[in-house]
Every structure is written in C-alpha cells, then in structure tokens.
Amino acid sequence: MPSCKLQFDPLSPMSFALHSMDELRAWVPSDDTFNIPNIALQTRRTDFSRPRLILVHDMAGGYKEDKNIQGNDYESIYYCQYWHLTDMFIYFSHERVSIPPVNWTNACHRNGVQCLGTFLIEGNNQMHEMETLLQGPPQQENIDNDDPMRLWSPFFADKLVSIAKHYKFDGWLINIECEFFPFPISPQYKAQELAKFLCYLTDTIHDEIPGSKIIWYDSMTCTGEIDWQNQLTDKNELFFKNSDGIFLNYWWKKSYPELAHKLVLEKYQDKSSFDVYFGTDVGGKHSYSGDGFKSYKGVKTTSFARTSSALFGVAWTYEHFDKTEFEKMDRLLWCGGKYSDYPPLTLNGSKDNVDTESDDSEDELMYDHKKGIADTISTHSVPGKKWFVTSFDKGFGHRFYFRGKRLLSQPWSHLSHQSILPNLDYQNPSIGLFNENIKITCTLENCCGAFLGGTSLVLQGQRLTYRESRDMEIEISIPLYQLNIDVSRGCTLRYIYKTPLAQDVKLIMSCNFTLHHNNDKSSSVENFCKTWLLEDMLSIENCFRITITSANDSCDCQCFLLSVTEECKTECGWLTKLTQIPAITREDGYRLFINRIELNVIVNTASLVGVEVHQVACLGHLSIIPTCDMSLAPDSEEQISQLTNLKWKDTSIEIVKKASDIPNNVHFESTLSQKEQNFRFFGTISWDELSNPIYDWKATDYYIVSYKVDDEECVFLGTAFCTEYRISGLDCVNKARIHMIIIETVTREGYISSCASLEIIL
C-alpha cells in the first residue's frame, strides 16, 4: 500500500472522475486534501530537436487499482518503467471528465513528465451534452459586447482550468466524438465556435498553469462532422492551430508524417511539426505499424519525419498477458529482445495495414534482436539541475522498508512511491572478460530487501556448469543514469549498498563529467585539473572513478580515481559510502556537469559456483547533493519542519466481540488479549506542517504513520503523501492504556525531519 490492511471502509480516500456535464457544472474547489498531489513537476533538460512521445493510459475503463489513494495490497500493479522516453502522460477513461488519480500525477511529476486529464464526449446520443459544453448552462448569461453573435460560453473552459489548477495536473486531452444537433444553427457554425472555445481554454490554462498543454483529438472536423482524418488536413487544422497539439487517429499511412511536417513548416510559424502526434493503438488493430510489439515501427516512422507519436493503451502488456509476465512483456515492447523471447502468437500476428513494412530490418534478423520503442526515440536526462536522489523503488513490493528496516511484511503497491528508475540499459550489464560459463543479470528486485521502499537494484550471478573453469576476478559494468547535474559548486555523491558475498565483491561507482568554459575554448581539461584536484583527494583503494571530458573537444579528457571519504554500516547490513566532488572557483570561468553514472562490480567467479543463483550486490540508494548543504548534516537534530494542529475527524468506534474478528494479517501480539475488550477504531487524522526548507531535497516527500501503545514499539500503519491519513478499523485493546498515532516527516533524501503524535480517544 504501503498500508497495513485493516477493514473495509467506505470513507477510504479514492480518486474519481466526473460523469456528466451536470457534475462538471456543479464542481467547486474543496478541501479534499487526499486528491491533491504533493510533488511538483520536476524540470529536466529540454531538447527541442527531439520528437515527443505521449502515453495515453487506458486500462480496464480506468479508476481500478490506481484509484486507491493510500495504495493497495496487490502483488502486482501496472506502472511505467520508461518515463525517460516519455513527454506527456494522459489519463483516459470513458467518463466525461477524467481527473488523473493523484498517485499517477505524483509519479509523473517526480520523473519530469507532464500529466494530463481527459475531457470526453462520445456517442451521438450525447448531442445535448455538446450543446451544453458550447453554450454553457441554461441559466448562464452568454453576452459578449465585442462579438454579439458569439455562441460559445467560457463557463466550462473555466471549469476545466480550475480543476487542473486545483488538482495540480498539467492540462487536458479534448476528445470530442459526438456531433452537434443539426438545427437550428448549422453544425459547421458550431464547430467554428467550438474552435474559439478551444482557443480560450488553451490561452486561459497557459495563464493559470505555465507550461500546461491542451491536446485535441482528431475526430470532429471544421464542418462539425465526426470524420477521423488520420493526418493533418484543412478539415482538422482549425483545431490544431487553436490548441497545443493534435493527436491524430490511428489509421494513417506511411507518407502522412512527412506531409504533416511540410504542412506545418509552410503554414504555421508559431507551431512545430513535433506538435503533431500520430496515434498508435498498442492493443488494437488497424494502426499503421500493426498492434502490440510492432508499435515501435509507428514511432520510428513519425520520428524520422520530424513529427511526434502518441501510444494509446500501453498497459496492453499488463492486461493481455499473465501478470507475472508483465515486466518481461513490457520490456519487449519498449526495448525489444531476441525472437525466442516473444510469445509465439503475437510476433507474427495478422497485419491490418498493407502500408506497413512487410519484414523486419536486416540488422534485426542478423543479430536475432527485434527492436523496441527505445530504439526509435532518444532518452531524456533525469529531472533536476542541481541535485538527484533515487532509491530504485518501483512503487510496489512484498515488503516495505525504511532505511533498511522492514516496516511491513505483506504485498503493497503505491505509485507515489516510485523512484526515478535507471534511464540507461541497466538490464544488460557488460562483463570485462567474457566468459560464457558465467551468467549475470541485473534487475529491480526485493530478494535482498530494500533500503527505501520495496525494491533495490540487484546484481545476480551464477557459474552455469561445474566443468573446470579458470576462476578469476571479473568486472561487471552496469549503466545507470544519464543526467545533467551542475556540480560546479561541489557536491557529495552518496551510495548505499549490500554485498551478500562479502569479501569476494568490490563495488565502485563511476561518473562521467563534462567541462564547460565560458570564455576560453582552448582551455584544456589537464590545466583545469591541476588546480581543481588536490593530491590528497586521489586514491587507488576504495576509489571512485571519474572521467572529465571537455565540452569543446571530446578527445580532451582525463581519468582519475578519487578517494571515498566516509564509510558507515547500518545495523541492517547496508554500507554507506560517499565521495566529495570539490567546488570550482567562480573566477576560473568553468562549469562542471555530471552526465553519466555507472556501477562497477568486481567479483571472483569462484564465489558464483552452485546450483542456485547468487545475490552479488544490491544498490539501495544513490544521491547527488550540493556541498553547500553540508552545514546541515543528514542526521542533524535541527528540525527543518514542524507538525502542528493534529486532529481527528470522521471517527467511529466498534466493539469487537470475538478475537476471531481481528484480521489474521494484523499482528499486534503485544497489545491483543482475549481477556481484554477490543475496540475497532475508524478515523481520519490531519495535521499542518510548518516548513520552509532552504533546499529542495530537504522538502517533505511523504509521512510515515504508525501506531503505538504506551511505551511499546511502534507498529507501522502506512504512508501519506498529503497531510491526512485514513485509519480504517484499527484494533485497540484496553481503553485504559494510551493509544497513540505517530506521524513522521520524510524528506526527499529519505531522512526523518520531524515527528508528532495524537492520542486515540476510545
């Protein structure tokens, strides 16, 4: 969840949609704290020459497992593993107004991806809703002195802007698949007025939410008809020019992206051809590329033509196959794989569009490796310009950990907990000296526990046969992150890991730096390093590898081994290492950026002998924090936040008559007794946080909620990403004892910064 499963509770917080224009009309901002995300959209380096990719999430009608704001107890959940290839995420359902579930918004924003909702009217039995959308509520006056013939009303546009602003997401997909009434005013005139409505919506949301987007779906034409164009034409360009982009239907031909590119260059000075998104229905038929694993061909074609792509129904890999196969199937969709890895019926499935390339490319056949989406579109650097933190948490697991300590021993899922996952191909580690008798894999797992959350980066190895083999040390290189972090003022790079094979494993981090010089293009890396690196910073043992390359000349580079300046081991077996990157004197005119991080593991192959696969190393945490913050140590007692005004609402108490009524999975052995009366408590605890952190990484990420009786050890209940938490049936014994709920604030770095408590009154 992570949340200790208690009882059914009708007041459990849920994400929701609006089902009709009446509900949209009646919507007003509320104090619904649960549905407001706490993670702002993180900035990442923008490459304006890169085609964009939209993911449209349509799974089982929407609002299923993802609607539970405090998480679930599911063993598996659909999640996005490839945010680094994505620019926008659109939450789609067949409701009138699809407000993105708060956990999706948090996951998107943490990864630097915009999150959009959907406004949808479909089916010609909804013409009355179309008239209401355009003209506003019947009682609403629609007078414009500058345009007395104006038919459209801004009422519902203002509502959509207010909803996006209140729930802190980044815009809307406008999907109109219903025509207007043909009388008394012509549908063509109404379509022209709808375009003005769209323009107003786009301009207004830009004013209220900087950087927001309005995307129009290719369905209605300028004549008011529903006629999917599948390309940019004079029939749909009216809506294209009045929005931020157009999502074209799926039945396009190979030549259409190039035609769209030329049309935009010729006619639209304020638009880019990247604002044209050619759709591919991953789980459907009739798309240009075909369905399923062939979807990458559509992305490849549009990218080559300098246009963008929209993938609809990417959860196909979760819905269509067994849930236990999801990560494998999702990787095949995104990254490709060997022909033998694919399900036999989907690889050579029927082709619905004769314009599709008929065969796999020569290099695919030659290397026995089919391509995926990642082969057709470039990788975004991870979000952040000054700092970076990750715990390799997928947002679900079989257990939940905090700083290596296990807090929960049951399956959980909570998308808001998803960390920034590696954006390089960590699942294909390379071995320095190839040995076909050694198998190495790297995955995000919980087999060794986790440091924060449910998973860590796990390197596994095995010697496949017992035949004589020359045992030796091998070095395994695992690419992790492409970044663009400015460390000119110095930074501390911290990594926390385990090595289950102990003395037979050595773990080394490697970083690539880029050196920029503002004035002197002839300045060399060698001259820079003479004054930047002091001799006592260099080391051979316990080293940290760095490579510095000039931004002006890629051949001008230097490699060094830096010392690890601190080591400590937690009681849970996790080892912490850190290294200091020195600051640059501003007067020198240099700027230094980290642009790549790799993990290198040295292991003796003799330790990999055995029938079972060996856990070689686990990386649980990685952070880059500017040195300017070192005046406040991570374990400093100085509080940077304070929790106040704790209170209860919506409380109720039930008397549990039998011990058998207590859930088997709730283990409060120290407090439960058949001889004492049991009370079942329901209630929502809320609090205020007084916080003004100087640095972003000191800001609150989430809260840990625990239950404590007298002076006994705390029992973990769950986590909250807002200043409220719903307790759904907590069993308490003996009202004479002191029953407390403990709230702890966790920062982005993963440290507790404040704590407060409130008593349960039975």
Side-chain angles (χ1 to χ4, degrees), residues 42-48 50 87 379-385 482-484 516 593 595:
Q42 303 298 295
T43 58
R44 59 184 180 186
R45 187 178 184 181
T46 302
D47 182 358
F48 294 101
R50 175 189 180 277
D87 296 272
T379 295
H380 280 292
S381 296
V382 298
K385 297 180 180 179
Q482 175 183 307
L483 317 92
N484 187 48
H516 296 256
F593 292 81
N595 52 38

Side-chain angles (χ1 to χ4, degrees), residues 312-324:
F312 184 87
V314 286
W316 171 77
T317 52
Y318 184 81
E319 291 187 281
H320 188 71
F321 301 98
D322 190 285
K323 301 295 186 291
T324 60

Side-chain angles (χ1 to χ4, degrees), residues 489-616:
R489 296 188 178 184
C491 72
T492 298
L493 193 147
R494 177 179 283 102
Y495 51 104
I496 302 174
Y497 66 95
K498 280 183 179 181
T499 51
L501 295 180
Q503 301 300 321
D504 290 326
V505 176
K506 185 177 181 181
L507 189 145
I508 302 171
M509 298 298 296
S510 299
C511 277
N512 290 1
F513 294 77
T514 301
L515 181 66
H516 296 256
H517 196 282
N518 297 335
N519 302 316
D520 184 6
K521 293 186 178 181
S522 63
S523 179
S524 69
V525 173
E526 182 180 6
N527 292 336
F528 164 75
C529 292
K530 286 179 180 178
T531 57
W532 179 61
L533 285 177
L534 302 178
E535 189 171 340
D536 61 357
M537 299 174 58
L538 304 178
S539 174
I540 297 178
E541 295 296 327
N542 295 321
C543 59
F544 179 85
R545 298 174 183 172
I546 66 170
T547 301
I548 305 176
T549 304
S550 171
N552 301 319
D553 181 3
S554 60
C555 294
D556 180 15
C557 64
Q558 296 278 306
C559 299
F560 300 94
L561 300 177
L562 299 188
S563 61
V564 176
T565 57
E566 179 182 327
E567 296 183 41
C568 62
K569 192 170 186 178
T570 69
E571 59 185 36
C572 301
W574 291 90
L575 184 67
T576 298
K577 288 190 177 181
L578 59 88
T579 191
Q580 303 284 355
I581 305 299
I584 297 173
T585 305
R586 293 185 181 184
E587 290 74 16
D588 292 343
Y590 290 105
R591 295 183 69 193
L592 191 65
F593 292 81
I594 295 180
N595 52 38
R596 184 182 174 94
I597 295 181
E598 290 188 358
L599 172 65
N600 299 281
V601 179
I602 299 173
V603 59
N604 193 308
T605 57
S607 62
L608 303 180
V609 174
V611 178
E612 296 183 353
V613 176
H614 296 273
Q615 319 301 327
V616 178

Side-chain angles (χ1 to χ4, degrees), residues 582-694:
I584 297 173
T585 305
R586 293 185 181 184
E587 290 74 16
D588 292 343
Y590 290 105
R591 295 183 69 193
L592 191 65
F593 292 81
I594 295 180
N595 52 38
R596 184 182 174 94
I597 295 181
E598 290 188 358
L599 172 65
N600 299 281
V601 179
I602 299 173
V603 59
N604 193 308
T605 57
S607 62
L608 303 180
V609 174
V611 178
E612 296 183 353
V613 176
H614 296 273
Q615 319 301 327
V616 178
C618 307
L619 184 61
H621 182 79
L622 175 64
S623 65
I624 302 170
I625 302 298
T627 306
C628 58
D629 183 56
M630 289 302 102
S631 59
L632 289 175
D635 56 355
S636 170
E637 294 182 359
E638 180 177 350
Q639 289 196 348
I640 60 173
S641 70
Q642 183 179 0
L643 302 181
T644 64
N645 195 28
L646 278 74
K647 57 187 177 183
W648 293 108
K649 65 178 181 180
D650 299 326
T651 60
S652 64
I653 298 174
E654 300 175 356
I655 297 178
V656 182
K657 298 180 180 179
K658 297 182 295 183
S660 59
D661 291 339
I662 299 172
N664 294 328
N665 62 321
V666 180
H667 303 291
F668 298 157
E669 293 92 343
S670 61
T671 61
L672 295 183
S673 170
Q674 295 183 9
K675 298 180 180 180
E676 298 176 308
Q677 191 174 30
N678 299 327
F679 296 89
R680 183 162 292 161
F681 176 79
F682 294 79
T684 299
I685 185 172
S686 64
W687 58 92
D688 296 328
E689 181 180 4
L690 302 178
S691 176
N692 188 24
I694 302 173

